[in-house]
Amino acid sequence: MGQSVATYLFKQSAHSGPAPVRARKEERFRLKQGFLACSSTNFCEIVNISNGGMALQYLAHRDSECEEIHEINILNNLEGYLLGQLSCRIVYVKDMVPASQHDQTVIRRIGMQFMDLSPDQQERLDDLLIKYSLEKEQSHSN
């Protein structure tokens, strides 16, 4: 596996001992309302995004396998925006059980690393972050 987007560090927690904290290579941003990512089989909420990758989440069946994603599209119908066919790879998967749900549904959060973007795709990604980001991500936890 190549270099990961995130490097793991440990931070002392007052209540539970050492807890993992992610130090990211690039700053992460939240996007304006309406931006989604879609793979060939799923629509996902974009949790945060950077020049190097993004965190996504979606509802999944508890026992389902995480699909392999090698290409992702970013779209927003409100803005008439589409940035398509971004090559990527999954760098982490984390399933969380929502408080209101029982055993069958999880919120699956995945970290994606962009791979081999063309100069045009990189320019469009840079423009996306400039035009449509709301704020820098303050928390480094997932």
Side-chain angles (χ1 to χ4, degrees):
M1 185 180 280
Q3 182 178 353
S4 175
V5 171
T7 303
Y8 292 93
L9 302 174
F10 290 94
K11 179 179 177 181
Q12 186 69 26
S13 170
H15 301 291
S16 62
V21 174
R22 294 216 165 130
R24 294 196 167 97
K25 194 173 178 181
E26 291 101 6
E27 287 183 301
R28 297 260 171 162
F29 299 90
R30 295 199 183 276
L31 294 176
K32 290 181 181 178
Q33 182 178 357
F35 278 90
L36 297 172
C38 63
S39 67
S40 60
T41 60
N42 214 342
F43 282 88
C44 307
E45 175 187 354
I46 299 171
V47 176
N48 58 45
I49 187 168
S50 74
N51 277 314
M54 61 184 162
L56 306 174
Q57 67 184 19
Y58 60 94
L59 291 177
H61 188 273
R62 174 174 276 228
D63 297 325
S64 68
E65 292 289 320
C66 183
E67 70 172 296
E68 283 293 319
I69 300 174
H70 300 287
E71 189 174 275
I72 199 92
N73 301 298
I74 299 173
L75 59 100
N76 183 321
N77 286 340
L78 300 172
E79 301 288 343
Y81 184 89
L82 174 64
L83 176 53
Q85 300 177 321
L86 300 172
S87 295
C88 58
R89 70 180 183 104
I90 296 174
V91 293
Y92 71 83
V93 177
K94 180 179 179 182
D95 286 347
M96 300 168 288
V97 178
S100 64
Q101 295 294 319
H102 298 288
D103 293 331
Q104 298 306 310
T105 303
V106 294
I107 297 173
R108 179 160 294 150
R109 185 170 287 190
I110 58 176
M112 306 296 301
Q113 179 182 16
F114 298 130
M115 307 291 294
D116 304 320
L117 299 183
S118 71
D120 180 60
Q121 287 174 320
Q122 188 62 58
E123 184 178 329
R124 294 200 56 217
L125 180 60
D126 293 341
D127 287 345
L128 170 72
L129 295 176
I130 291 167
K131 292 178 184 174
Y132 298 109
S133 65
L134 293 175
E135 60 191 25
K136 292 179 186 174
E137 178 83 356
Q138 295 298 315
S139 171
H140 290 296
S141 63
N142 285 324

